[in-house]
């Protein structure tokens, strides 16, 4: 090591490095793409501040409208990055939300929650819940953001997220299902893309990929030092003592998994547990063959990515079964 070069205190590769002098170096997801009109999709985006005191913001996405008073489903979206990297403003997530918004014809609110380790869990949950409340505050047409007032159909509210963002979407849906949560949210559906759930005991493909499994073994304690066990209900929703999935506050759930993803079997287990929990809704699962974790973010022009985006668009636009509207 050269003289004067800071010493490393902790690494969680390939995500983040922490030095003994306190400096935190994020190794991925640090680029920034400005908002505007995307020439490929015609989607327009802009940035808004949700919680000025804490610097919590979001990027809004609006597709081409057929008429000026058109109202669309709203998707509150939570990016991935293991709770410690990425943002709505990176090329990976900005481009993906453009593609998803154009295909699904929705208004998307991509939330920039605060990151660990500076802001450990539950900060990301609290920021994301506040963002959902900000969205709902436009329900009477008198909120601070005109796009939300004019173009959102608040009878069609969805949560969605990728990896860690899917974890957030699940945990917010659990809060929304609590009658004491204090907010009346007409949450139609939740879409979980390759959800980050974990546990203390290996299942399925986890034993086949010890390198990635060790990363996830370390991750939860790093981002949630107050509750570091890998069977904490926030990260293992099917663990003994976790809140009953029957209380999930959404009428529909779509779980997306990928065949080669080390997290695949957690997604499958969640889907199966949800179906057997007594929950009143309808769950679906889609598995993409021969692909790995979050493949669709890295190849938006690939046919499998387009197929998954099309499936999500169908999920956001399908009517709720009449029996679930009673």
């Amino acid at each position: 090591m050269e003289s004067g070069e800071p010493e490393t205190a902790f690494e969680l590769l390939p995500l983040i490095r922490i030095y003994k002098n306190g400096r935190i170096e994020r190794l991925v997801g640090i680029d920034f793409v400005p908002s505007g009109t995307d020439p490929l999709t015609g989607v327009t985006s802009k940035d808004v501040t949700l919680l000025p005191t804490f610097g919590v913001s979001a990027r809004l996405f609006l597709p081409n409208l057929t008429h000026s008073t058109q109202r669309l489903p709203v998707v509150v979206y939570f990016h991935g990055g293991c709770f410690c990297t990425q943002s709505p403003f990176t090329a990976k997530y900005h481009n993906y939300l453009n593609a998803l918004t154009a295909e699904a014809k929705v208004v998307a609110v991509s939330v920039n929650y605060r990151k660990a380790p500076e802001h450990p869990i539950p900060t990301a949950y609290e920021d994301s819940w506040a963002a959902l409340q900000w969205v709902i505050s436009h329900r009477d047409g008198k909120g601070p953001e005109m796009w939300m007032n004019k173009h959102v159909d608040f009878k069609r509210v969805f949560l969605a997220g990728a990896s860690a963002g899917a974890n957030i979407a699940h945990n917010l849906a659990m809060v929304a299902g609590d009658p004491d949560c204090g907010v009346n949210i007409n949450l139609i559906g939740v879409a979980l893309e390759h959800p980050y759930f974990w546990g203390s005991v290996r299942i399925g493909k986890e034993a086949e990929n010890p390198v990635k499994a060790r990363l996830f073994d370390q991750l939860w304690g790093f981002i949630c030092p107050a509750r570091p066990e890998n069977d904490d209900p926030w990260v293992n929703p099917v663990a003994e003592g976790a809140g009953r999935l029957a209380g999930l506050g959404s009428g529909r759930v779509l779980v997306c998994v990928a065949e080669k993803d080390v997290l695949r079997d957690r997604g499958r287990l969640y889907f199966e547990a949800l179906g057997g929990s007594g929950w009143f809704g309808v769950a679906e699962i889609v598995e993409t063959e021969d692909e790995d974790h979050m493949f669709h973010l890295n190849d938006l022009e690939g046919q499998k990515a387009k197929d998954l985006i099309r499936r999500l668009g169908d999920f956001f636009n399908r009517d709720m079964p009449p029996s679930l509207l009673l």
Side-chain angles (χ1 to χ4, degrees):
M1 178 177 293
E2 296 182 6
S3 176
E5 185 177 342
E7 292 185 62
T8 299
F10 177 80
E11 288 182 325
L12 196 63
L13 300 178
L15 302 171
I16 197 166
R17 180 179 294 122
I18 300 176
Y19 295 94
K20 288 186 176 180
N21 64 7
R23 183 167 71 91
I24 296 173
E25 181 184 16
R26 288 178 169 82
L27 306 176
V28 296
I30 57 175
D31 59 305
F32 180 90
V33 174
S35 59
T37 299
D38 178 50
L40 294 178
T41 63
V43 171
T44 302
S45 59
K46 65 177 173 180
D47 300 333
V48 296
T49 300
L50 308 184
L51 298 175
T53 303
F54 301 110
V56 178
S57 60
R59 178 160 288 182
L60 309 187
F61 295 81
L62 185 71
N64 277 326
L65 301 172
T66 57
H67 55 82
S68 62
T69 59
Q70 186 177 5
R71 290 190 176 270
L72 304 169
V74 61
V75 177
V76 187
Y77 190 86
F78 309 102
H79 67 81
C82 296
F83 288 99
C84 59
T85 67
Q86 300 289 350
S87 81
F89 317 123
T90 62
K92 177 178 289 189
Y93 281 98
H94 174 79
N95 294 338
Y96 174 62
L97 265 294
N98 276 330
L100 181 62
T101 300
E103 171 64 33
K105 295 294 187 292
V106 297
V107 177
V109 180
S110 186
V111 180
N112 188 33
Y113 52 87
R114 287 173 289 174
K115 314 296 187 296
E118 301 95 323
H119 304 285
I121 298 293
T123 300
Y125 298 141
E126 294 167 348
D127 290 351
S128 299
W129 181 252
L132 179 56
Q133 290 180 295
W134 179 88
V135 169
I136 299 302
S137 74
H138 296 78
R139 186 163 42 193
D140 61 359
K142 299 178 181 178
E145 172 50 51
M146 192 55 63
W147 281 8
M148 304 297 294
N149 292 331
K150 288 183 61 178
H151 299 302
V152 169
D153 177 359
F154 286 97
K155 294 180 181 179
R156 294 186 290 168
V157 178
F158 292 84
L159 303 180
S163 194
N167 176 294
I168 293 174
H170 157 74
N171 280 293
L172 262 59
M174 290 296 293
V175 175
D178 183 347
D180 297 324
C181 75
V183 181
N184 180 21
I185 301 170
N186 188 27
L187 188 58
I188 296 296
V190 179
L192 308 179
E193 303 166 31
H194 306 176
Y196 164 44
F197 299 133
W198 201 241
S200 61
V201 178
R202 296 272 192 271
I203 64 170
K205 295 181 72 67
E206 296 167 7
E208 301 172 12
N209 198 328
V211 174
K212 287 186 178 179
R214 280 195 295 271
L215 168 66
F216 286 108
D217 282 342
Q218 297 178 72
L219 177 60
W220 185 254
F222 172 68
I223 60 180
C224 187
R227 292 168 53 170
E229 298 298 324
N230 279 319
D231 286 324
D232 185 273
W234 281 336
V235 71
N236 188 354
V238 302
E240 184 177 353
R244 292 187 65 238
L245 290 174
L248 192 80
S250 169
R252 290 197 275 119
V253 171
L254 174 64
V255 182
C256 306
V257 297
E259 182 185 9
K260 295 183 176 181
D261 187 1
V262 71
L263 298 179
R264 179 196 67 177
D265 296 294
R266 295 287 169 179
R268 285 178 168 179
L269 182 61
Y270 175 85
F271 168 76
E272 293 166 1
L274 188 60
S277 68
W279 172 63
F280 70 89
V282 175
E284 309 167 54
I285 189 167
V286 56
E287 179 170 336
T288 305
E289 295 181 355
D290 201 35
E291 295 291 351
D292 210 333
H293 190 65
M294 304 312 299
F295 74 92
H296 53 299
L297 296 184
N298 301 314
D299 183 21
L300 291 177
E301 292 304 311
Q303 189 58 50
K304 291 181 181 179
K306 290 180 178 179
D307 289 344
L308 182 57
I309 292 171
R310 190 173 299 114
R311 181 68 178 267
L312 288 161
D314 174 69
F315 180 77
F316 297 140
N317 285 282
R318 195 182 317 141
D319 290 337
M320 181 70 78
S323 61
L324 300 180
L325 296 173
L326 300 178

